[in-house]
Amino acid sequence: MEYSEGKLPPSYDVAENELPYQIKLALWQTAFGLQKVDGLSPSEYMVELAYENIEGKKGYDAIYREISDYHLKEHVDANTVEADIVSLRIAELLAEDHFLLSPSTLLGIHRHLFTDVFPEEIPVGKFRTVNITKNEPVLNGETVAVFGIQYLRKLGLHIDYSLFSEHVAFFRNALVLYYYQGEKQDKQYLKMFFENLLLGKQNVLSDEALRMKE
């Protein structure tokens, strides 16, 4: 898949250098971790650029330009392009301090993350009117994770970002089970995740247990 830099959505106005090193590191680790549930991994060059951002050497606009040029020059495969671009956009959004609890915010996050990443037949930044599938046990998405993190921070709650990067599959699958309309609906797994996230509990977040719910 070719990626056109000219089609990139405008980046958010983020005061990047105001964030501490450890916070930036956590945001990037979360961004990369959210790709794992789709079996995607960023390129080594994207990881290098991420550390330059963490260290305050490069902003998001510069990284957009450099990673897009790299993709075109090296003919990078579509999965790696997706992992690079979506990770970069997640890190950028998580560095943003503004949030409005609204469906339009959720759609805006989806649009920002996946513009020019998904094929044209898949709607971006819109509520879907057709079904799409992936070869995975259960589905949700990075959009909900980013929305949830921003909302919890807006409430003034402390966020342990490592839970999202280390247990992203559990979180995503727990969301699906929570909202499932039928006999498989189960709220206990999402409760376990948020008990660990907000209350410091040590529930075992086993994705295997979730898959047994299929």
Side-chain angles (χ1 to χ4, degrees), residues 99 101 146-157 159:
F99 178 80
L101 183 60
V146 172
F147 183 89
I149 291 171
Q150 289 185 324
Y151 175 57
L152 292 172
R153 292 192 318 196
K154 184 69 173 180
L155 295 176
L157 299 173
I159 300 298

Side-chain angles (χ1 to χ4, degrees), residues 99-107 147:
F99 178 80
L100 176 66
L101 183 60
S102 165
S104 62
T105 299
L106 186 67
L107 295 178
F147 183 89

Side-chain angles (χ1 to χ4, degrees), residues 12-206:
Y12 282 56
D13 183 14
V14 179
E16 301 170 37
N17 293 327
E18 294 182 5
L19 295 176
Y21 178 95
Q22 290 299 328
I23 294 296
K24 278 191 171 184
L25 177 62
L27 298 185
W28 276 103
Q29 288 175 335
T30 301
F32 289 146
L34 288 173
Q35 305 309 304
K36 295 178 183 177
V37 75
D38 289 328
L40 303 180
S41 298
S43 64
E44 292 184 5
Y45 188 53
M46 183 71 254
V47 175
E48 292 176 11
L49 291 174
Y51 273 104
E52 292 193 54
N53 175 260
I54 292 167
E55 294 168 355
K57 297 177 180 178
K58 288 183 180 176
Y60 297 110
D61 287 343
I63 294 176
Y64 271 132
R65 290 191 295 270
E66 291 191 30
I67 198 63
S68 297
D69 289 344
Y70 170 78
H71 291 157
L72 293 174
K73 181 179 178 180
E74 301 297 330
H75 304 288
V76 177
D77 67 273
N79 286 338
T80 303
V81 170
E82 178 178 341
D84 286 354
I85 296 300
V86 176
S87 294
L88 171 56
R89 292 173 177 176
I90 288 174
E92 182 182 25
L93 283 178
L94 291 180
E96 171 61 51
D97 192 36
H98 301 295
F99 178 80
L100 176 66
L101 183 60
S102 165
S104 62
T105 299
L106 186 67
L107 295 178
I109 292 171
H110 190 267
R111 184 183 307 110
H112 186 76
L113 296 186
F114 297 110
T115 294
D116 293 327
V117 172
F118 284 168
E120 292 184 1
E121 61 268 21
I122 298 179
V124 174
K126 300 177 182 178
F127 290 114
R128 290 174 182 154
T129 57
V130 296
N131 291 328
I132 65 170
T133 61
K134 279 188 177 181
N135 186 26
E136 298 175 25
V138 288
L139 292 172
N140 202 286
E142 296 96 328
T143 303
V144 176
V146 172
F147 183 89
I149 291 171
Q150 289 185 324
Y151 175 57
L152 292 172
R153 292 192 318 196
K154 184 69 173 180
L155 295 176
L157 299 173
H158 171 74
I159 300 298
D160 181 0
Y161 293 100
S162 67
L163 283 172
F164 287 96
S165 59
E166 296 172 8
H167 300 287
V168 58
F170 183 95
F171 171 69
R172 197 169 79 162
N173 297 347
L175 275 172
V176 174
L177 287 174
Y178 182 87
Y179 286 107
Y180 188 87
Q181 300 299 314
E183 294 181 0
K184 294 182 182 179
Q185 185 183 43
D186 197 326
K187 302 178 181 180
Q188 66 170 316
Y189 297 106
L190 195 60
K191 179 181 177 182
M192 289 167 58
F193 181 87
F194 280 103
E195 284 179 343
N196 286 15
L197 180 69
L198 301 176
L199 303 178
K201 291 194 175 183
Q202 299 296 319
N203 295 316
V204 177
L205 305 181
S206 169

